[in-house]
Amino acid sequence: MPEPDAGVLARRREIVAAMRAIVPGEGVIDHPDGLRAYEADGLTAYRQPPLVVVLPETTEQVARVLAWCHANRVKVVPRGAGTSLSGGALPLADGVLLGLSKLNRILDIDYADRIAVVQPGVTNLAITRAVEEQGFYYAPDPSSQIACSIGGNVAENAGGVHCLKYGLTTNNVLGVELVTIEGEVLRLGGRGLESAGLDLLGLVVGSEGLLGVVTEVTVRILPRPQTARALLIGFAEIETAGQCVAEVIAAGIIPAGMEMMDRAAIHAAEAFVHAGYPLDVEALLIVELDGPEGECAHLIGEIEAIARSNGAVSIRASASDAERASFWAGRKAAFPAAGRISPDYYCMDGTIPRRRLPDVLRRMGVLSEQYGLRVINVFHAGDGNLHPMILYDANQPGELETAEAFGADILRLCVEVGGVLTGEHGVGVEKRDLMPVMFSPVDLAQQQRVKCAFDPELLLNPGKMFPELHRCAELGRMHVHGGAVPFPELPRF
Amino acid sequence: MPEPDAGVLARRREIVAAMRAIVPGEGVIDHPDGLRAYEADGLTAYRQPPLVVVLPETTEQVARVLAWCHANRVKVVPRGAGTSLSGGALPLADGVLLGLSKLNRILDIDYADRIAVVQPGVTNLAITRAVEEQGFYYAPDPSSQIACSIGGNVAENAGGVHCLKYGLTTNNVLGVELVTIEGEVLRLGGRGLESAGLDLLGLVVGSEGLLGVVTEVTVRILPRPQTARALLIGFAEIETAGQCVAEVIAAGIIPAGMEMMDRAAIHAAEAFVHAGYPLDVEALLIVELDGPEGECAHLIGEIEAIARSNGAVSIRASASDAERASFWAGRKAAFPAAGRISPDYYCMDGTIPRRRLPDVLRRMGVLSEQYGLRVINVFHAGDGNLHPMILYDANQPGELETAEAFGADILRLCVEVGGVLTGEHGVGVEKRDLMPVMFSPVDLAQQQRVKCAFDPELLLNPGKMFPELHRCAELGRMHVHGGAVPFPELPRF
């Protein structure tokens, strides 16, 4: 890497000094060793150390950092816990990385109104930990919940295995405090479901750090259900498993979670954690019911009947919480299990209409042969959210590129059958160039006009979500042409 | 009223001719008798015949109408069924009233994916009618559901007695087709919960016709619950009724609906429909449970115990659907019942945190004495959504103004205790001047910047929602000043 010239170095010194004047002590990191810890998020194929890392401790510091960056036209990338799987927190070489990890306090818990008010750096699981003694929990449960922060959950509209019944982050967040790039502090939403005026809260959830920086989140907490039980159901064919899922939903049952694993995933998981999964099946369903004991027992009977009528070859219902945990053990270990059988894997995240499941899996198998890469499938079957894991070896020249091309084809397939590019991981840098597969130029232009209403200088997390960003002043209403801001080459690792 | 001058008449003729060129036959109304039918919506204190009424039959006609109006700088007020209680469809003397009533077809029903795709003029109840034979229904159920259209429901984010369990419109709409003021056709959301990019769908729901015109709506349909039962519980004090509501929720029970009526409402309703309500109580709760039969029976037992421990003086559980209907008869007749005991009434719509209910009702009583006007209360107690009805006589000089001042004080009180200006009726013209009670200038400016991202010339439904509209080009990012577009005097009837 060539040495930066004197002008660049002077600019860097000026930015670092300004940040130090706002955030004292160890809250500003500019040493290369320190920066390296922030060079990637969960999408580790892309790495880029930022110009400087700033870790404010108060909303006021966040506002001052953003206002200074706005006044001085410095780009800003917000970062929660850095667990994004779509590169949402990938730094910019000439930008400030604004880490929210030190804003990590729980500010208020109100059981009568069933809400918790927390700072963005609080982890997803810490919310549940804080309220579980009173019998409550926070419903969205992404796999990374022990590490990921609620601020990041808001940015990515995170989901989890229970979002079939309890919704995504957007269905569980009632209000946020948002700091704009100019340092203005907005309050969006409140402590209830209702709002007046334009619903900017729904817009900000899932906006991937492009509209502002969230410094406080009010979430809905739920009473822990009286009981939870799970079913483990094996099928000789993917098609009949998919049909079973469709019939459960059509029967009006909304399980707390309904997960599917294909043969490759079952074998990988079983070899890793010995969960006791049947190995002679093509598909395994884990169906969890929660609620009053009588209701769970009743629904388990109904689902067993549906499974049997679809030719299930094995059915087990958990008789204890320990057994229920064993059913989940393999599913929860699917990602590390993939890591055991392949040097690298690439986890995709697309959604499809439930009924297209068998068709999509068949076509994914054809793609797997074409690309010469194995794929193992775990997915939130109930809401049609696929997580295919493409197995590859980054040390083999060209294999990463092949895996990415395969992944892009999977996402195109999802959109083609009426699904969505992303279920819960966000667009980030990973899927930004696929956005035109899903959206017309008119749709994308309107989304960007809304971005411009928050950040007309395009300083917040540029290079994410939009395949190209048009200068706001040039974003003609009738015609989208010219004026696109060039993104830097993506810093592939 | 003075005769308009020649220039105004020529302009009117030009606009009408342009509309006739796009929408043939009886779809354009400009005769004064015809216009009068559209001069008000459900907020009948305000009336203003529009310049012309246009009733397109296709999305393409909607797009052409809007594009022409944009090119010729003509204001447009969209209208669904005209049942808005906040004046959301109040016409403008110099604007086109764009009625969506002829876009009234159900386009697709997909039971496997549990969705219905409908045009905006389809009534709320017609969706349920179309799917009920297969055992499904559409959950949001505003009181006006027999008349109100799904397009209007989207514009106002309508609720109903069941939104405690099933959410508002925003929780039940998966996608829309939206035509912008320039005639561009956008598709927002899709057929599932997930989306990619900025969530413009959540923004458009509840935007009161200020961002675009919805020409197609994809809604979630739900399987009809196996059973529904209701409890009718009387209390000697409002406070204990409020405490009972809080404890039901805190116990983790989410009833399908939980409604409260105060003494005045009970007596008015009983005198009207003879529902068999107890007359010696201060508050009546109607709690509806739905789901599997065993679950309902179990929960009814739990709620009875909570009610007893809070000193309930009467408890009845419905033993049949007929009895359940009788419990609801009085509540559903509350509005006409108010009309029977008073020449006029003004129905408010604010929300408060549930636990503030007794306090707010007490202070509302004090306000009632101060203003010298009776108020009767029915409300969605479960989600803290109040519907106080202020009784007045429009024939008494000044009484309407007194009622409105009283109503504004009630809404200020809601905001003061942490609630929201509107639960499900929208801001419209009714509450627009109260928006600064709830939102800071910075919050309002950001909302308007988003409005400008859709409609920079402020042609769509101006005069609604925002207390003042700033010309978009003059809406400085740091300072909100000057440049406000003057609204016409509100056309009070």
Side-chain angles (χ1 to χ4, degrees), chain A residues 110 113 182 184 186-187 196 198 223 252 295 355 439 442-443 446-447 453 477-478, chain B residues 110 113 182 184 186-187 196 198 223 252 295 355 439 442-443 446-447 453 477-478:
Chain A
D110 185 327
D113 284 344
E182 295 183 20
E184 292 173 339
L186 307 179
R187 295 208 72 94
L198 294 181
E295 181 187 348
R355 68 196 151 74
F439 296 105
V442 164
D443 291 335
Q446 188 55 51
Q447 288 192 30
R477 297 244 355 131
M478 284 306 285
Chain B
D110 184 330
D113 284 343
E182 295 183 22
E184 291 173 339
L186 307 179
R187 295 207 74 94
L198 295 179
E295 180 186 349
R355 68 196 151 73
F439 295 104
V442 164
D443 290 334
Q446 188 55 51
Q447 287 191 31
R477 297 241 359 128
M478 287 304 287

mmCIF file of all heavy atoms in Angstrom, chain A residues 110 113 182 184 186-187 196 198 223 252 295 355 439 442-443 446-447 453 477-478, chain B residues 110 113 182 184 186-187 196 198 223 252 295 355 439 442-443 446-447 453 477-478:
data_model
loop_
_atom_site.group_PDB
_atom_site.id
_atom_site.type_symbol
_atom_site.label_atom_id
_atom_site.label_comp_id
_atom_site.label_asym_id
_atom_site.label_seq_id
_atom_site.Cartn_x
_atom_site.Cartn_y
_atom_site.Cartn_z
ATOM 1 N N ASP A 110 -40.509 -0.998 32.473
ATOM 2 C CA ASP A 110 -41.852 -0.698 32.973
ATOM 3 C C ASP A 110 -42.730 -1.921 32.701
ATOM 4 O O ASP A 110 -43.146 -2.159 31.575
ATOM 5 C CB ASP A 110 -42.385 0.544 32.249
ATOM 6 C CG ASP A 110 -43.727 1.000 32.801
ATOM 7 O OD1 ASP A 110 -44.515 0.131 33.234
ATOM 8 O OD2 ASP A 110 -43.995 2.214 32.772
ATOM 9 N N ASP A 113 -46.493 -1.200 31.566
ATOM 10 C CA ASP A 113 -46.637 -0.896 30.138
ATOM 11 C C ASP A 113 -45.905 -1.921 29.273
ATOM 12 O O ASP A 113 -45.957 -1.837 28.047
ATOM 13 C CB ASP A 113 -46.114 0.505 29.834
ATOM 14 C CG ASP A 113 -47.101 1.579 30.281
ATOM 15 O OD1 ASP A 113 -48.271 1.236 30.527
ATOM 16 O OD2 ASP A 113 -46.700 2.747 30.398
ATOM 17 N N GLU A 182 -26.733 15.903 11.031
ATOM 18 C CA GLU A 182 -26.457 17.281 11.468
ATOM 19 C C GLU A 182 -26.400 17.417 12.974
ATOM 20 O O GLU A 182 -26.226 18.520 13.496
ATOM 21 C CB GLU A 182 -27.526 18.225 10.920
ATOM 22 C CG GLU A 182 -27.463 18.292 9.419
ATOM 23 C CD GLU A 182 -28.459 19.272 8.849
ATOM 24 O OE1 GLU A 182 -28.915 20.155 9.605
ATOM 25 O OE2 GLU A 182 -28.780 19.157 7.676
ATOM 26 N N GLU A 184 -28.929 16.753 14.998
ATOM 27 C CA GLU A 184 -30.257 16.973 15.578
ATOM 28 C C GLU A 184 -30.735 15.688 16.251
ATOM 29 O O GLU A 184 -30.523 14.594 15.730
ATOM 30 C CB GLU A 184 -31.272 17.356 14.498
ATOM 31 C CG GLU A 184 -31.027 18.717 13.880
ATOM 32 C CD GLU A 184 -31.943 18.980 12.693
ATOM 33 O OE1 GLU A 184 -32.468 18.003 12.113
ATOM 34 O OE2 GLU A 184 -32.122 20.147 12.347
ATOM 35 N N LEU A 186 -33.849 13.483 17.236
ATOM 36 C CA LEU A 186 -35.277 13.258 16.985
ATOM 37 C C LEU A 186 -35.784 12.155 17.910
ATOM 38 O O LEU A 186 -35.045 11.250 18.268
ATOM 39 C CB LEU A 186 -35.516 12.800 15.544
ATOM 40 C CG LEU A 186 -34.943 13.625 14.403
ATOM 41 C CD1 LEU A 186 -35.305 12.956 13.074
ATOM 42 C CD2 LEU A 186 -35.504 15.035 14.435
ATOM 43 N N ARG A 187 -37.064 12.254 18.258
ATOM 44 C CA ARG A 187 -37.707 11.132 18.958
ATOM 45 C C ARG A 187 -38.780 10.572 18.031
ATOM 46 O O ARG A 187 -39.704 11.280 17.641
ATOM 47 C CB ARG A 187 -38.331 11.586 20.272
ATOM 48 C CG ARG A 187 -37.308 12.068 21.291
ATOM 49 C CD ARG A 187 -37.796 11.875 22.715
ATOM 50 N NE ARG A 187 -37.775 10.476 23.072
ATOM 51 C CZ ARG A 187 -36.757 9.874 23.694
ATOM 52 N NH1 ARG A 187 -35.684 10.553 24.037
ATOM 53 N NH2 ARG A 187 -36.819 8.600 23.978
ATOM 54 N N ALA A 196 -48.535 9.439 15.564
ATOM 55 C CA ALA A 196 -49.241 10.482 14.812
ATOM 56 C C ALA A 196 -48.269 11.022 13.782
ATOM 57 O O ALA A 196 -47.061 10.969 13.965
ATOM 58 C CB ALA A 196 -49.703 11.596 15.759
ATOM 59 N N LEU A 198 -46.256 11.274 10.104
ATOM 60 C CA LEU A 198 -45.607 10.258 9.282
ATOM 61 C C LEU A 198 -44.824 9.299 10.168
ATOM 62 O O LEU A 198 -44.127 9.716 11.085
ATOM 63 C CB LEU A 198 -44.675 10.925 8.266
ATOM 64 C CG LEU A 198 -45.372 11.785 7.206
ATOM 65 C CD1 LEU A 198 -44.333 12.364 6.253
ATOM 66 C CD2 LEU A 198 -46.405 10.977 6.434
ATOM 67 N N PRO A 223 -44.516 -11.395 28.282
ATOM 68 C CA PRO A 223 -44.467 -12.399 29.342
ATOM 69 C C PRO A 223 -44.027 -13.745 28.765
ATOM 70 O O PRO A 223 -44.500 -14.149 27.703
ATOM 71 C CB PRO A 223 -45.911 -12.473 29.843
ATOM 72 C CG PRO A 223 -46.743 -11.810 28.815
ATOM 73 C CD PRO A 223 -45.880 -10.960 27.959
ATOM 74 N N GLY A 252 -54.240 -22.703 10.445
ATOM 75 C CA GLY A 252 -54.429 -21.607 11.385
ATOM 76 C C GLY A 252 -53.513 -21.690 12.592
ATOM 77 O O GLY A 252 -53.659 -20.923 13.537
ATOM 78 N N GLU A 295 -53.132 -25.676 25.487
ATOM 79 C CA GLU A 295 -53.076 -25.283 24.085
ATOM 80 C C GLU A 295 -51.927 -26.002 23.374
ATOM 81 O O GLU A 295 -52.084 -26.496 22.257
ATOM 82 C CB GLU A 295 -52.900 -23.759 23.996
ATOM 83 C CG GLU A 295 -52.861 -23.251 22.578
ATOM 84 C CD GLU A 295 -52.526 -21.764 22.509
ATOM 85 O OE1 GLU A 295 -52.554 -21.100 23.567
ATOM 86 O OE2 GLU A 295 -52.238 -21.280 21.401
ATOM 87 N N ARG A 355 -45.031 -21.777 -0.212
ATOM 88 C CA ARG A 355 -45.410 -22.891 -1.101
ATOM 89 C C ARG A 355 -44.384 -23.134 -2.210
ATOM 90 O O ARG A 355 -44.432 -24.150 -2.887
ATOM 91 C CB ARG A 355 -46.811 -22.639 -1.673
ATOM 92 C CG ARG A 355 -46.900 -21.503 -2.624
ATOM 93 C CD ARG A 355 -48.323 -21.040 -2.873
ATOM 94 N NE ARG A 355 -48.315 -19.629 -3.207
ATOM 95 C CZ ARG A 355 -47.898 -19.148 -4.374
ATOM 96 N NH1 ARG A 355 -47.489 -19.950 -5.321
ATOM 97 N NH2 ARG A 355 -47.889 -17.843 -4.587
ATOM 98 N N PHE A 439 -35.951 -4.252 -7.348
ATOM 99 C CA PHE A 439 -36.611 -2.944 -7.454
ATOM 100 C C PHE A 439 -36.400 -2.311 -8.816
ATOM 101 O O PHE A 439 -35.310 -2.401 -9.387
ATOM 102 C CB PHE A 439 -36.073 -1.990 -6.386
ATOM 103 C CG PHE A 439 -36.378 -2.431 -4.980
ATOM 104 C CD1 PHE A 439 -35.403 -2.980 -4.169
ATOM 105 C CD2 PHE A 439 -37.667 -2.298 -4.473
ATOM 106 C CE1 PHE A 439 -35.690 -3.396 -2.877
ATOM 107 C CE2 PHE A 439 -37.965 -2.704 -3.179
ATOM 108 C CZ PHE A 439 -36.975 -3.259 -2.383
ATOM 109 N N VAL A 442 -37.461 3.294 -10.699
ATOM 110 C CA VAL A 442 -38.384 4.235 -10.059
ATOM 111 C C VAL A 442 -38.480 3.940 -8.558
ATOM 112 O O VAL A 442 -38.468 4.858 -7.725
ATOM 113 C CB VAL A 442 -39.768 4.133 -10.750
ATOM 114 C CG1 VAL A 442 -40.847 4.771 -9.907
ATOM 115 C CG2 VAL A 442 -39.715 4.777 -12.128
ATOM 116 N N ASP A 443 -38.572 2.658 -8.183
ATOM 117 C CA ASP A 443 -38.604 2.283 -6.764
ATOM 118 C C ASP A 443 -37.320 2.738 -6.064
ATOM 119 O O ASP A 443 -37.353 3.308 -4.970
ATOM 120 C CB ASP A 443 -38.709 0.758 -6.603
ATOM 121 C CG ASP A 443 -40.058 0.197 -7.037
ATOM 122 O OD1 ASP A 443 -41.046 0.941 -7.009
ATOM 123 O OD2 ASP A 443 -40.103 -0.992 -7.393
ATOM 124 N N GLN A 446 -37.057 6.459 -5.548
ATOM 125 C CA GLN A 446 -37.890 6.960 -4.448
ATOM 126 C C GLN A 446 -37.250 6.643 -3.102
ATOM 127 O O GLN A 446 -37.267 7.462 -2.184
ATOM 128 C CB GLN A 446 -39.300 6.375 -4.533
ATOM 129 C CG GLN A 446 -40.284 7.001 -3.545
ATOM 130 C CD GLN A 446 -40.344 8.513 -3.681
ATOM 131 O OE1 GLN A 446 -40.511 9.048 -4.764
ATOM 132 N NE2 GLN A 446 -40.164 9.223 -2.569
ATOM 133 N N GLN A 447 -36.683 5.455 -2.978
ATOM 134 C CA GLN A 447 -35.980 5.133 -1.731
ATOM 135 C C GLN A 447 -34.840 6.124 -1.505
ATOM 136 O O GLN A 447 -34.618 6.598 -0.394
ATOM 137 C CB GLN A 447 -35.402 3.707 -1.771
ATOM 138 C CG GLN A 447 -36.461 2.626 -1.661
ATOM 139 C CD GLN A 447 -35.841 1.250 -1.421
ATOM 140 O OE1 GLN A 447 -34.794 1.123 -0.820
ATOM 141 N NE2 GLN A 447 -36.518 0.221 -1.887
ATOM 142 N N ALA A 453 -33.720 12.965 2.226
ATOM 143 C CA ALA A 453 -34.477 13.782 3.180
ATOM 144 C C ALA A 453 -33.821 13.754 4.563
ATOM 145 O O ALA A 453 -34.107 14.601 5.407
ATOM 146 C CB ALA A 453 -35.920 13.292 3.264
ATOM 147 N N ARG A 477 -36.817 14.341 -10.550
ATOM 148 C CA ARG A 477 -37.984 13.558 -10.147
ATOM 149 C C ARG A 477 -38.444 12.627 -11.267
ATOM 150 O O ARG A 477 -38.923 11.558 -11.019
ATOM 151 C CB ARG A 477 -39.127 14.474 -9.708
ATOM 152 C CG ARG A 477 -38.774 15.288 -8.501
ATOM 153 C CD ARG A 477 -39.599 14.994 -7.251
ATOM 154 N NE ARG A 477 -40.668 14.066 -7.447
ATOM 155 C CZ ARG A 477 -40.887 13.018 -6.667
ATOM 156 N NH1 ARG A 477 -40.085 12.748 -5.683
ATOM 157 N NH2 ARG A 477 -41.910 12.245 -6.873
ATOM 158 N N MET A 478 -38.303 13.051 -12.517
ATOM 159 C CA MET A 478 -38.837 12.209 -13.581
ATOM 160 C C MET A 478 -37.791 11.254 -14.145
ATOM 161 O O MET A 478 -38.106 10.174 -14.595
ATOM 162 C CB MET A 478 -39.395 13.066 -14.715
ATOM 163 C CG MET A 478 -40.729 13.691 -14.402
ATOM 164 S SD MET A 478 -41.985 12.495 -13.892
ATOM 165 C CE MET A 478 -42.402 11.735 -15.480
ATOM 166 N N ASP B 110 -54.983 -15.893 -1.902
ATOM 167 C CA ASP B 110 -54.053 -17.019 -1.877
ATOM 168 C C ASP B 110 -54.065 -17.582 -0.458
ATOM 169 O O ASP B 110 -53.473 -17.000 0.455
ATOM 170 C CB ASP B 110 -52.656 -16.514 -2.275
ATOM 171 C CG ASP B 110 -51.637 -17.646 -2.368
ATOM 172 O OD1 ASP B 110 -51.789 -18.644 -1.622
ATOM 173 O OD2 ASP B 110 -50.702 -17.530 -3.176
ATOM 174 N N ASP B 113 -50.531 -18.803 1.013
ATOM 175 C CA ASP B 113 -49.708 -17.722 1.559
ATOM 176 C C ASP B 113 -50.503 -16.824 2.504
ATOM 177 O O ASP B 113 -49.946 -15.890 3.080
ATOM 178 C CB ASP B 113 -49.100 -16.888 0.419
ATOM 179 C CG ASP B 113 -47.938 -17.605 -0.247
ATOM 180 O OD1 ASP B 113 -47.412 -18.552 0.363
ATOM 181 O OD2 ASP B 113 -47.559 -17.217 -1.365
ATOM 182 N N GLU B 182 -46.320 12.432 -9.452
ATOM 183 C CA GLU B 182 -45.861 12.550 -10.840
ATOM 184 C C GLU B 182 -46.392 11.434 -11.734
ATOM 185 O O GLU B 182 -46.052 11.378 -12.913
ATOM 186 C CB GLU B 182 -44.334 12.541 -10.884
ATOM 187 C CG GLU B 182 -43.761 13.758 -10.203
ATOM 188 C CD GLU B 182 -42.258 13.801 -10.303
ATOM 189 O OE1 GLU B 182 -41.693 13.172 -11.203
ATOM 190 O OE2 GLU B 182 -41.665 14.463 -9.456
ATOM 191 N N GLU B 184 -45.783 8.239 -11.251
ATOM 192 C CA GLU B 184 -44.943 7.041 -11.214
ATOM 193 C C GLU B 184 -45.635 5.960 -10.381
ATOM 194 O O GLU B 184 -46.244 6.265 -9.355
ATOM 195 C CB GLU B 184 -43.588 7.352 -10.579
ATOM 196 C CG GLU B 184 -42.715 8.258 -11.423
ATOM 197 C CD GLU B 184 -41.457 8.691 -10.684
ATOM 198 O OE1 GLU B 184 -41.440 8.644 -9.433
ATOM 199 O OE2 GLU B 184 -40.505 9.085 -11.356
ATOM 200 N N LEU B 186 -45.148 2.888 -7.974
ATOM 201 C CA LEU B 186 -44.183 2.180 -7.131
ATOM 202 C C LEU B 186 -44.842 0.939 -6.546
ATOM 203 O O LEU B 186 -46.037 0.923 -6.299
ATOM 204 C CB LEU B 186 -43.724 3.067 -5.958
ATOM 205 C CG LEU B 186 -43.191 4.463 -6.252
ATOM 206 C CD1 LEU B 186 -42.833 5.141 -4.930
ATOM 207 C CD2 LEU B 186 -41.960 4.381 -7.136
ATOM 208 N N ARG B 187 -44.020 -0.083 -6.301
ATOM 209 C CA ARG B 187 -44.495 -1.247 -5.539
ATOM 210 C C ARG B 187 -43.719 -1.284 -4.235
ATOM 211 O O ARG B 187 -42.505 -1.383 -4.231
ATOM 212 C CB ARG B 187 -44.282 -2.547 -6.310
ATOM 213 C CG ARG B 187 -45.113 -2.623 -7.595
ATOM 214 C CD ARG B 187 -45.409 -4.065 -7.976
ATOM 215 N NE ARG B 187 -46.420 -4.608 -7.092
ATOM 216 C CZ ARG B 187 -47.732 -4.612 -7.356
ATOM 217 N NH1 ARG B 187 -48.187 -4.108 -8.469
ATOM 218 N NH2 ARG B 187 -48.578 -5.109 -6.480
ATOM 219 N N ALA B 196 -36.567 -5.390 1.600
ATOM 220 C CA ALA B 196 -35.162 -5.018 1.445
ATOM 221 C C ALA B 196 -35.115 -3.527 1.176
ATOM 222 O O ALA B 196 -36.064 -2.958 0.662
ATOM 223 C CB ALA B 196 -34.533 -5.793 0.291
ATOM 224 N N LEU B 198 -34.967 0.556 2.068
ATOM 225 C CA LEU B 198 -35.725 1.377 3.010
ATOM 226 C C LEU B 198 -37.196 0.955 3.008
ATOM 227 O O LEU B 198 -37.787 0.752 1.951
ATOM 228 C CB LEU B 198 -35.603 2.859 2.653
ATOM 229 C CG LEU B 198 -34.191 3.438 2.789
ATOM 230 C CD1 LEU B 198 -34.189 4.911 2.396
ATOM 231 C CD2 LEU B 198 -33.648 3.259 4.204
ATOM 232 N N PRO B 223 -56.796 -17.189 9.798
ATOM 233 C CA PRO B 223 -57.844 -18.188 10.016
ATOM 234 C C PRO B 223 -58.736 -17.753 11.171
ATOM 235 O O PRO B 223 -58.244 -17.270 12.197
ATOM 236 C CB PRO B 223 -57.075 -19.455 10.379
ATOM 237 C CG PRO B 223 -55.696 -19.026 10.703
ATOM 238 C CD PRO B 223 -55.468 -17.668 10.149
ATOM 239 N N GLY B 252 -49.898 -11.621 31.282
ATOM 240 C CA GLY B 252 -49.471 -12.211 30.021
ATOM 241 C C GLY B 252 -50.620 -12.609 29.116
ATOM 242 O O GLY B 252 -50.428 -13.262 28.106
ATOM 243 N N GLU B 295 -58.272 -23.167 25.545
ATOM 244 C CA GLU B 295 -57.536 -21.962 25.926
ATOM 245 C C GLU B 295 -58.500 -20.875 26.400
ATOM 246 O O GLU B 295 -58.269 -20.219 27.415
ATOM 247 C CB GLU B 295 -56.716 -21.468 24.731
ATOM 248 C CG GLU B 295 -55.906 -20.214 25.025
ATOM 249 C CD GLU B 295 -55.222 -19.671 23.782
ATOM 250 O OE1 GLU B 295 -55.201 -20.377 22.753
ATOM 251 O OE2 GLU B 295 -54.720 -18.539 23.834
ATOM 252 N N ARG B 355 -51.677 2.342 32.414
ATOM 253 C CA ARG B 355 -51.732 2.566 33.868
ATOM 254 C C ARG B 355 -52.168 3.984 34.226
ATOM 255 O O ARG B 355 -52.480 4.268 35.377
ATOM 256 C CB ARG B 355 -50.378 2.224 34.496
ATOM 257 C CG ARG B 355 -49.281 3.153 34.113
ATOM 258 C CD ARG B 355 -47.901 2.590 34.424
ATOM 259 N NE ARG B 355 -46.926 3.133 33.496
ATOM 260 C CZ ARG B 355 -46.488 4.388 33.545
ATOM 261 N NH1 ARG B 355 -46.859 5.186 34.496
ATOM 262 N NH2 ARG B 355 -45.641 4.839 32.629
ATOM 263 N N PHE B 439 -44.839 16.958 18.960
ATOM 264 C CA PHE B 439 -43.563 16.911 18.245
ATOM 265 C C PHE B 439 -42.810 18.229 18.365
ATOM 266 O O PHE B 439 -43.411 19.302 18.304
ATOM 267 C CB PHE B 439 -43.788 16.605 16.759
ATOM 268 C CG PHE B 439 -44.355 15.239 16.507
ATOM 269 C CD1 PHE B 439 -45.693 15.078 16.172
ATOM 270 C CD2 PHE B 439 -43.561 14.111 16.623
ATOM 271 C CE1 PHE B 439 -46.221 13.815 15.932
ATOM 272 C CE2 PHE B 439 -44.084 12.846 16.398
ATOM 273 C CZ PHE B 439 -45.416 12.699 16.054
ATOM 274 N N VAL B 442 -37.984 20.249 15.364
ATOM 275 C CA VAL B 442 -37.027 19.399 14.666
ATOM 276 C C VAL B 442 -37.700 18.117 14.174
ATOM 277 O O VAL B 442 -37.483 17.674 13.035
ATOM 278 C CB VAL B 442 -35.841 19.084 15.620
ATOM 279 C CG1 VAL B 442 -35.024 17.911 15.098
ATOM 280 C CG2 VAL B 442 -34.964 20.313 15.796
ATOM 281 N N ASP B 443 -38.544 17.507 15.018
ATOM 282 C CA ASP B 443 -39.287 16.306 14.600
ATOM 283 C C ASP B 443 -40.189 16.615 13.405
ATOM 284 O O ASP B 443 -40.243 15.866 12.435
ATOM 285 C CB ASP B 443 -40.189 15.800 15.746
ATOM 286 C CG ASP B 443 -39.399 15.210 16.915
ATOM 287 O OD1 ASP B 443 -38.269 14.745 16.703
ATOM 288 O OD2 ASP B 443 -39.938 15.221 18.040
ATOM 289 N N GLN B 446 -38.354 17.159 10.154
ATOM 290 C CA GLN B 446 -37.885 15.916 9.537
ATOM 291 C C GLN B 446 -39.038 15.184 8.856
ATOM 292 O O GLN B 446 -38.882 14.635 7.765
ATOM 293 C CB GLN B 446 -37.202 15.019 10.575
ATOM 294 C CG GLN B 446 -36.529 13.800 9.966
ATOM 295 C CD GLN B 446 -35.525 14.180 8.882
ATOM 296 O OE1 GLN B 446 -34.665 15.024 9.083
ATOM 297 N NE2 GLN B 446 -35.668 13.592 7.698
ATOM 298 N N GLN B 447 -40.205 15.176 9.507
ATOM 299 C CA GLN B 447 -41.372 14.568 8.856
ATOM 300 C C GLN B 447 -41.658 15.264 7.531
ATOM 301 O O GLN B 447 -41.962 14.633 6.525
ATOM 302 C CB GLN B 447 -42.605 14.643 9.759
ATOM 303 C CG GLN B 447 -42.557 13.675 10.934
ATOM 304 C CD GLN B 447 -43.892 13.589 11.657
ATOM 305 O OE1 GLN B 447 -44.942 13.746 11.059
ATOM 306 N NE2 GLN B 447 -43.857 13.338 12.957
ATOM 307 N N ALA B 453 -39.789 14.486 -0.068
ATOM 308 C CA ALA B 453 -39.137 13.456 -0.887
ATOM 309 C C ALA B 453 -40.140 12.767 -1.811
ATOM 310 O O ALA B 453 -39.757 12.121 -2.779
ATOM 311 C CB ALA B 453 -38.439 12.431 -0.004
ATOM 312 N N ARG B 477 -31.890 22.747 6.460
ATOM 313 C CA ARG B 477 -31.682 21.590 7.309
ATOM 314 C C ARG B 477 -31.460 22.004 8.765
ATOM 315 O O ARG B 477 -31.828 21.285 9.663
ATOM 316 C CB ARG B 477 -30.505 20.741 6.830
ATOM 317 C CG ARG B 477 -30.749 20.173 5.472
ATOM 318 C CD ARG B 477 -30.768 18.657 5.401
ATOM 319 N NE ARG B 477 -30.521 17.996 6.655
ATOM 320 C CZ ARG B 477 -31.302 17.067 7.159
ATOM 321 N NH1 ARG B 477 -32.405 16.703 6.547
ATOM 322 N NH2 ARG B 477 -30.986 16.473 8.270
ATOM 323 N N MET B 478 -30.856 23.126 9.009
ATOM 324 C CA MET B 478 -30.560 23.479 10.391
ATOM 325 C C MET B 478 -31.640 24.343 11.019
ATOM 326 O O MET B 478 -31.867 24.295 12.203
ATOM 327 C CB MET B 478 -29.208 24.204 10.492
ATOM 328 C CG MET B 478 -28.024 23.296 10.302
ATOM 329 S SD MET B 478 -27.999 21.890 11.463
ATOM 330 C CE MET B 478 -27.536 22.717 12.996
#
